[in-house]
Amino acid sequence: MKGLLWKDYYMMIKYCRMFLLFAVVFLGAAIMEPDNLFLLAYPVILLGMIPVNLLAYDEREKWDLYSAVLPYTRKQIVTVKYLIGMLINLSMFVLVMAVLVIQGMVNQSFHMTESLELGALLLALGLLTPMVVLPFSFKWGTEKGRVVYIICMAVACGGIFVLTSEGLLNPNIFQMKVSLLVLTAIMLVLYVISWQISIRFYEKKEL
């Protein structure tokens, strides 16, 4: 399965460079505007879609047919996309934490607990779109999955923008009865469930 990971890594570097560039630009802007959480959330959502885009390139190049003659199972092919999604989101978590530390140094107001909870919230947000879209993509193809992707992006970005502009989403949202760390744990469980559903869909799919 290591070969599949390397394949997706090289495809990500070749085809998804603009995603990475946008992420860097938005994270840099977030340092200058610490109260605008949209600048942190958007790159997390954007990079969370990389596994779906990699799957789309696989379909376009007929990789699903070619892989049938290789010593890889359908479970491994699905698993790699979910691993890529998890690794990307963990990397974004580290980068977001670095931005929050820099913000705290600049404003002399760094709070570890709140920063970790914000990072946990964004990690959960980054897992949401691939968690929802990948099962549809593995069952019906990425063209139909793209419709779900557009809906998820519109709802997620629109919701965050509205909440931020109305002052309802800010670094002081953590007076919550349900811990955001618990929310992240729930999202991780749902991510695993989505992975298992995608495996079942893809194993039954006729290529």
Side-chain angles (χ1 to χ4, degrees):
M1 195 165 68
K2 190 189 334 185
L4 292 174
L5 283 170
W6 278 111
K7 175 192 77 70
D8 277 0
Y9 169 75
Y10 287 123
M11 287 181 63
M12 182 174 63
I13 296 301
K14 182 175 181 179
Y15 295 115
C16 302
R17 279 182 264 183
M18 291 304 297
F19 287 66
L20 304 175
L21 177 61
F22 278 123
V24 171
V25 170
F26 271 81
L27 291 176
I31 296 176
M32 307 303 296
E33 296 188 41
D35 293 329
N36 190 344
L37 293 189
F38 179 79
L39 295 174
L40 287 176
Y42 180 74
V44 172
I45 298 172
L46 185 66
L47 266 64
M49 282 309 304
I50 286 180
V52 180
N53 281 273
L54 293 176
L55 183 60
Y57 284 116
D58 283 348
E59 286 186 0
R60 191 182 70 179
E61 300 298 330
K62 306 299 182 183
W63 163 257
D64 50 351
L65 299 176
Y66 177 70
S67 63
V69 301
L70 298 176
Y72 297 119
T73 65
R74 294 195 180 189
K75 180 178 180 180
Q76 289 175 320
I77 292 172
V78 173
T79 299
V80 164
K81 293 297 186 288
Y82 278 83
L83 283 176
I84 290 288
M86 181 60 68
L87 291 172
I88 289 172
N89 276 284
L90 289 176
S91 299
M92 286 302 297
F93 174 80
V94 173
L95 290 176
V96 166
M97 290 302 300
V99 170
L100 292 175
V101 169
I102 295 173
Q103 287 179 351
M105 293 173 61
V106 172
N107 300 317
Q108 297 181 344
S109 60
F110 178 71
H111 301 287
M112 178 60 74
T113 301
E114 291 184 359
S115 297
L116 285 172
E117 289 186 327
L118 176 56
L121 173 62
L122 294 176
L123 176 61
L125 185 63
L127 294 175
L128 178 62
T129 306
M131 180 184 76
V132 173
V133 177
L134 281 175
F136 287 95
S137 298
F138 277 111
K139 185 173 179 63
W140 291 303
T142 53
E143 285 302 318
K144 292 183 178 178
R146 201 178 302 276
V147 176
V148 181
Y149 156 64
I150 294 172
I151 294 173
C152 287
M153 285 289 288
V155 171
C157 293
I160 292 170
F161 180 78
V162 170
L163 290 174
T164 302
S165 62
E166 294 295 325
L168 299 176
L169 185 62
N170 55 67
N172 298 317
I173 65 173
F174 304 108
Q175 308 299 325
M176 300 177 65
K177 294 181 180 179
V178 179
S179 171
L180 292 174
L181 297 177
V182 174
L183 171 64
T184 303
I186 294 173
M187 290 296 295
L188 290 173
V189 172
L190 293 176
Y191 193 76
V192 172
I193 293 174
S194 171
W195 166 48
Q196 293 300 317
I197 292 173
S198 291
I199 290 174
R200 291 197 175 190
F201 282 164
Y202 197 54
E203 286 179 338
K204 294 180 181 179
K205 182 179 179 180
E206 292 186 8
L207 300 179

